[in-house]
Amino acid sequence: MLKISQKQYKYVILGIKLYRMTDTVSETQLLTSLKTYFGYDRFRDKQQHIIENVLEGKDTLVIMPTGGGKSICFQLPATLFKGVTLVISPLIALMKDQVDGLNANGIQAAFFNSSQDGAEQQAIVNAIINAELKLIYVAPESLAGLENILNETHISCVAIDEAHCISSWGHDFRPSYQQLGFLKKTLPNTPIIALTATADKATRQDIIEQLKIPSAKQFISSFDRKNIELEVRPADGRANQIIRFIKQRPNESGIVYCLSRKNTETIAQKLNQNGINTDAYHAGLSFEDRTRIQEDFIFDKTQVVCATVAFGMGIDKSNVRWVIHHNMPKNIEGYYQEIGRSGRDGLKANALLFHSYADVIQLRKFASGASNEDVQIAKLERMKQFSEATTCRRKILLSYFGELLENNCGNCDVCKNPPKFFDGTIIAQKILSTIKRVKEQEATGTIIDVLRGARNATILEKALDHIKTFGIGRDISWKDWQHYTIQLINQGICEIAFHKNNALQLTAFSNKVLFDGFKVFLTSPIEFKEQTKAVKESKTRRTPSNSLFERLRKLRYKIALEENIPAYLVFSDATLKEMEQIRPMSADEFLTISGVGQRKLEVYGEEFIAEILDFIGSKIKKPKKTNTHLVTYELYKSGLSIENISEQRQLKTPTIYSHIAKLYADGKAINIYDFITKNEVEAVHQAKIELNNPTALKDYFEYFNEQMDYSKIRLALSVIEKEFL
Ligand code: ADP
Ligand code: ZN
């Protein structure tokens, strides 16, 4: 039997016709589907054009960055097609997640793979034959098991997810993907949509050729992920920096990428010692352990995972709030893919990279001897340039992917804290002169030790304490010397000889600086400033533990555990944030929240609305004096009568009426004529004219021979003020 509960299967059709390829579909219809199933009001970027192309039965290639919103491009058409959409996906974990997400949205979907027994597989085949499924996820290896339904009677569309796996150019080549060319032959009139986040041309071409979709329309989205703040810091004391960073963000999920297995374990241990719930993840762990760690992270049971790059593929978790690179990645593709795992929900996210020269040296070692050593080293060089940038980092990243950003992004550390240059010629001369005097035989560390006059074993052994520049730089800290040396290397004023134990050597430029009056401009280290700024910023963004968001988050977690699905599949962080802001108190209002579709309204609406009302109720006990009428407004909006409000607030009804009058005068949505008739307003208006606009309500009261109460007079006056004056 299919392991999908009846509840999950409940299917909602809100005036959506099932769609044949020959029909044309209106924009309104697409938007209705988007809202009904996915809860969103607008398409992102190119999504609509892609979907229209697919619905027209045309082959399509989608290149979109991680988190860009690729899934909807085939999931939404799938809800409109008559038959099933066959989704080819490389990883079982990824399939399961997507299927859970679809079912949570009321779309019938299942996966088909080797983890299921014969009876389960048969049940799925039957469900397809009976047209009970809209999407079926399958790994290429398991396609043979679907032989009986691989025809155009049953299949309306084929989606190839992670399509770069087909190409040996891509970084995730999977041989099983290479047989997929047969799909076009078997299903010649069925549109194929291939999707990937890998942009380069060779891979793209390979996908099109191998899938035999030469006329596929290509949709290439911008790679800019504006919501991810980019930051690079020097690697000194990075473990402590990481601990501080995470402590400033309690409850926020994140990933720390490390270069080695050992690193993942030591950092995880330090974080745990500091009370941060962390797991280490690397390829040396058993399959069971890796699965458990991944699940716990996806389910928000662990806050942080310290991992090698083996972690992340197959994680769709939309509420990863930050990614830290403890070590420098070996190329920009990897870096961008890894940071792309944060902020998929579009909310603010952070990418923090630690830069150290030791890492560069290590990565060069890894690359040396590889068959494509030159390519690897060139890529590493670009990564290094990015890390050492003194101009907008996003511009550098995007230009790597062939995209030009016109303006500086304003959301990277360089934009936020532009480096200030000063004349560093003398500093440069001291470094170069030392390099010269040690006969270009020593690495950065020793050069700095000489400058700072350190009498350690190496220095004494080599008698470097006798050279002329020994100790001339005690006024500058070790870290700062390092900072300046790196800049000289970047500017080509000296260089590292990687093949000679990383000794620093002079270049053609060096002599110009030493002897020809060539000026050198350097930037001051800004690390300290950055950190204090970060602390300040994070203080303002921290969500207090008693906030409505936290309460909604806890409720989400509880529901997720009950349903055994990841919390972010119940609602994304972005959706909770909007609930916190809008505070929906009725079904209609709840449905206006982005991320709330029809099924989620039906299944979760009541509980979340109750939580919001309860939160407002608890705030009522201690209302702020000035905002007391706003509390009344919240209760009014939830449909309570004046009497009920007065009872709940333990305030007299005239007070509540006076709130209503003020709210109406302030332009809030009050149905004022529920409380007073037009005739009564007219009468008060008449009195106002006759009495020559008195200030005291008592004058009106007496004018009406005490037959109209104060509340009514007050209400009428606010209507008059708004409508007649
Ligand atoms: P990708 O597969 O490209 O990495 P996803 O398809 O997982 O990205 O989408 C990333 C996130 O963006 C998901 O949480 C998804 O629900 C959300 N999303 C997609 N389209 C929209 C949209 N039009 N409006 C709001 N959120 C969207
Ligand atoms: Zn920038």
Side-chain angles (χ1 to χ4, degrees):
M1 266 307 293
L2 277 178
K3 282 189 190 144
I4 296 169
S5 69
Q6 206 51 40
K7 185 174 153 207
Q8 281 174 308
Y9 254 138
K10 203 162 121 204
Y11 190 40
V12 222
I13 303 180
L14 265 197
I16 298 171
K17 276 198 321 227
L18 289 189
Y19 180 71
R20 276 180 295 123
M21 274 189 264
T22 44
D23 295 337
T24 46
V25 71
S26 69
E27 186 175 346
T28 323
Q29 203 172 0
L30 289 184
L31 287 170
T32 309
S33 295
L34 181 67
K35 181 64 195 167
T36 307
Y37 292 115
F38 302 96
Y40 301 131
D41 297 316
R42 268 175 298 279
F43 286 106
R44 273 188 193 161
D45 197 31
K46 297 195 165 64
Q47 281 176 335
Q48 186 174 341
H49 292 128
I50 294 165
I51 288 166
E52 282 166 353
N53 203 57
V54 173
L55 287 172
E56 280 165 24
K58 296 180 187 156
D59 295 333
T60 313
L61 175 61
V62 175
I63 315 281
M64 229 184 239
T66 312
K70 285 187 282 297
S71 317
I72 280 181
C73 298
F74 60 86
Q75 291 176 345
L76 191 146
T79 65
L80 297 168
F81 279 128
K82 247 185 169 169
V84 70
T85 292
L86 177 72
V87 187
I88 311 290
S89 173
L91 292 170
I92 292 181
L94 204 70
M95 287 181 204
K96 194 176 165 314
D97 224 36
Q98 293 228 349
V99 167
D100 283 344
L102 285 162
N103 287 324
N105 279 329
I107 300 169
Q108 295 154 307
F111 53 78
F112 184 92
N113 63 36
S114 52
S115 72
Q116 296 157 317
D117 63 27
E120 280 175 312
Q121 293 193 340
Q122 190 53 48
I124 290 168
V125 171
N126 291 344
I128 295 172
I129 292 170
N130 297 330
E132 289 167 1
L133 285 179
K134 288 282 115 193
L135 295 106
I136 176 77
Y137 282 71
V138 60
E141 297 84 352
S142 304
L143 265 174
L146 289 174
E147 210 175 27
N148 291 342
I149 54 92
L150 276 187
N151 56 57
E152 297 188 328
T153 312
H154 297 111
I155 295 183
S156 295
C157 180
V158 175
I160 319 262
D161 208 1
E162 311 287 351
H164 59 276
C165 291
I166 209 169
S167 168
S168 48
W169 292 99
H171 47 86
D172 275 321
F173 174 57
R174 275 158 202 263
S176 61
Y177 257 66
Q178 283 198 311
Q179 42 138 333
L180 296 177
F182 89 92
L183 285 167
K184 196 75 219 176
K185 274 196 216 144
T186 314
L187 308 163
N189 301 308
T190 305
I192 291 185
I193 170 172
L195 312 100
T196 174
T198 304
D200 75 85
K201 261 200 180 139
T203 309
R204 244 186 278 160
Q205 206 44 45
D206 227 13
I207 293 172
I208 287 185
E209 274 168 24
Q210 295 207 42
L211 290 178
K212 306 198 181 353
I213 49 170
S215 47
K217 193 161 174 185
Q218 301 194 23
F219 293 87
I220 301 170
S221 291
S222 163
F223 265 61
D224 195 359
R225 295 280 308 280
K226 293 186 179 66
N227 59 318
I228 304 178
E229 179 177 340
L230 307 172
E231 186 182 358
V232 180
R233 294 186 198 169
D236 319 282
R238 58 192 130 173
N240 286 335
Q241 292 202 55
I242 292 172
I243 290 164
R244 264 204 306 277
F245 179 96
I246 300 173
K247 288 214 159 165
Q248 284 156 13
R249 294 164 173 77
N251 301 322
E252 289 189 5
S253 291
I255 306 172
V256 182
Y257 280 111
C258 305
L259 202 55
S260 69
R261 294 177 183 186
K262 194 159 170 291
N263 272 162
T264 64
E265 282 168 358
T266 43
I267 303 290
Q269 196 185 6
K270 278 191 192 153
L271 296 188
N272 279 317
Q273 282 163 356
N274 279 275
I276 300 162
N277 184 0
T278 310
D279 266 327
Y281 181 106
H282 54 73
L285 299 173
S286 69
F287 176 75
E288 288 72 31
D289 279 346
R290 278 182 286 147
T291 312
R292 177 192 56 78
I293 291 167
Q294 180 162 324
E295 288 239 317
D296 284 355
F297 183 62
I298 290 174
F299 279 74
D300 291 353
K301 291 178 191 163
T302 2
Q303 189 194 347
V304 177
V305 174
C306 293
T308 57
V309 290
F311 184 75
M313 169 88 166
I315 291 191
D316 264 358
K317 183 173 161 77
S318 74
N319 63 336
V320 177
R321 293 264 64 87
W322 53 262
V323 166
I324 292 178
H325 282 91
H326 176 268
N327 303 93
M328 193 158 97
K330 58 179 192 249
N331 55 44
I332 289 188
E333 285 95 338
Y335 170 70
Y336 206 56
Q337 193 176 40
E338 281 139 28
I339 66 167
R341 293 185 180 128
S342 67
R344 276 168 181 254
D345 50 17
L347 293 182
K348 189 174 161 39
N350 287 79
L352 170 59
L353 163 70
F354 287 102
H355 174 39
S356 96
Y357 246 76
D359 286 350
V360 177
I361 289 165
Q362 182 79 11
L363 288 167
R364 279 190 80 102
K365 259 194 211 150
F366 288 162
S368 76
S371 57
N372 59 349
E373 179 176 344
D374 291 353
V375 179
Q376 287 200 27
I377 292 201
K379 287 192 168 192
L380 176 61
E381 193 56 32
R382 298 287 298 268
M383 188 65 223
K384 197 162 78 68
Q385 281 166 4
F386 167 81
S387 314
E388 290 156 0
T390 49
T391 55
C392 175
R393 291 195 205 275
R394 201 172 310 267
K395 269 192 173 169
I396 298 176
L397 269 189
L398 291 175
S399 82
Y400 185 83
F401 295 110
E403 230 178 281
L404 226 64
L405 195 65
E406 249 176 49
N407 298 317
N408 289 341
C409 78
N411 197 23
C412 73
D413 54 340
V414 180
C415 281
K416 291 188 171 175
N417 226 330
K420 292 185 184 66
F421 286 91
F422 67 94
D423 182 345
T425 313
I426 292 179
I427 289 177
Q429 284 169 342
K430 286 180 180 170
I431 295 172
L432 296 175
S433 165
T434 309
I435 296 175
K436 205 175 161 90
R437 284 166 203 281
V438 300
K439 304 199 170 47
E440 303 180 55
Q441 297 291 320
E442 301 300 332
T444 311
T446 311
I447 302 290
I448 297 175
D449 283 344
V450 171
L451 285 164
R452 301 221 353 110
R455 290 183 194 279
N456 57 33
T458 316
I459 299 280
L460 298 178
E461 219 167 83
K462 296 185 177 173
L464 298 180
D465 52 339
H466 295 308
I467 69 171
K468 206 172 162 199
T469 54
F470 184 79
I472 59 166
R474 289 201 176 91
D475 54 329
I476 293 175
S477 74
W478 210 95
K479 235 170 55 193
D480 291 0
W481 276 119
Q482 191 185 31
H483 176 81
Y484 298 135
T485 312
I486 289 169
Q487 290 183 62
L488 294 190
I489 299 168
N490 289 338
Q491 295 183 29
I493 295 170
C494 62
E495 64 187 9
I496 294 187
F498 289 102
H499 52 293
K500 290 184 192 158
N501 290 327
N502 310 310
L504 284 184
Q505 305 208 313
L506 301 179
T507 67
F509 270 126
S510 312
N511 280 345
K512 292 190 178 174
V513 177
L514 282 171
F515 310 115
D516 297 344
F518 200 86
K519 279 203 180 320
V520 177
F521 289 92
L522 299 172
T523 67
S524 323
I526 48 173
E527 171 212 358
F528 178 70
K529 246 171 35 196
E530 273 173 357
Q531 279 182 17
T532 44
K533 187 166 167 273
V535 172
K536 258 191 226 149
E537 241 175 44
S538 72
K539 272 196 180 142
T540 53
R541 55 179 258 176
R542 190 185 296 178
T543 19
S545 58
N546 59 353
S547 68
L548 178 54
F549 180 79
E550 272 312 305
R551 290 182 56 164
L552 296 175
R553 207 177 61 83
K554 284 195 184 120
L555 173 61
R556 173 178 74 173
Y557 186 67
K558 187 193 99 191
I559 292 175
L561 286 183
E562 282 165 9
E563 300 205 356
N564 196 26
I565 55 171
Y568 70 91
L569 289 184
V570 176
F571 285 124
S572 72
D573 279 9
T575 301
L576 293 194
K577 277 260 143 71
E578 200 176 313
M579 280 182 205
E580 181 185 37
Q581 231 177 15
I582 308 266
R583 300 188 177 185
M585 288 185 274
S586 65
D588 284 349
E589 284 179 357
F590 198 70
L591 198 55
T592 65
I593 305 290
S594 174
V596 178
Q598 195 59 38
R599 180 181 179 272
K600 288 192 177 167
L601 166 69
E602 289 175 11
V603 183
Y604 307 130
E606 219 169 280
E607 266 182 285
F608 278 85
I609 292 172
E611 190 69 36
I612 291 166
L613 285 175
D614 191 55
F615 175 82
I616 291 167
S618 70
K619 292 279 140 188
I620 285 164
K621 284 171 196 132
K622 275 189 269 155
K624 276 193 206 147
K625 196 108 186 114
T626 47
N627 286 335
T628 171
H629 64 292
L630 292 179
V631 179
T632 296
Y633 185 46
E634 300 292 0
L635 295 170
Y636 169 79
K637 278 201 293 182
S638 73
L640 294 189
S641 68
I642 299 297
E643 285 69 31
N644 287 342
I645 298 176
S646 125
E647 202 173 296
Q648 224 195 85
R649 299 210 54 192
Q650 301 191 344
L651 292 171
K652 297 208 165 70
T653 48
T655 313
I656 303 299
Y657 275 115
S658 74
H659 292 166
I660 294 286
K662 175 162 173 47
L663 289 164
Y664 181 76
D666 288 351
K668 293 276 190 291
I670 301 284
N671 292 325
I672 198 80
Y673 291 112
D674 287 352
F675 307 113
I676 189 166
T677 66
K678 290 216 157 122
N679 284 342
E680 286 165 333
V681 173
E682 194 41 55
V684 175
H685 194 199
Q686 195 58 38
K688 187 176 167 85
I689 294 166
E690 283 184 24
L691 297 172
N692 198 16
N693 205 12
T695 41
L697 292 184
K698 195 159 178 279
D699 294 344
Y700 289 95
F701 190 62
E702 284 168 2
Y703 176 91
F704 290 113
N705 293 325
E706 305 184 359
Q707 294 304 300
M708 189 184 292
D709 64 39
Y710 280 102
S711 297
K712 289 226 166 168
I713 296 168
R714 194 178 273 121
L715 286 170
L717 284 171
S718 66
V719 176
I720 293 161
E721 192 178 330
K722 240 181 121 202
E723 292 180 10
F724 297 89
L725 300 181

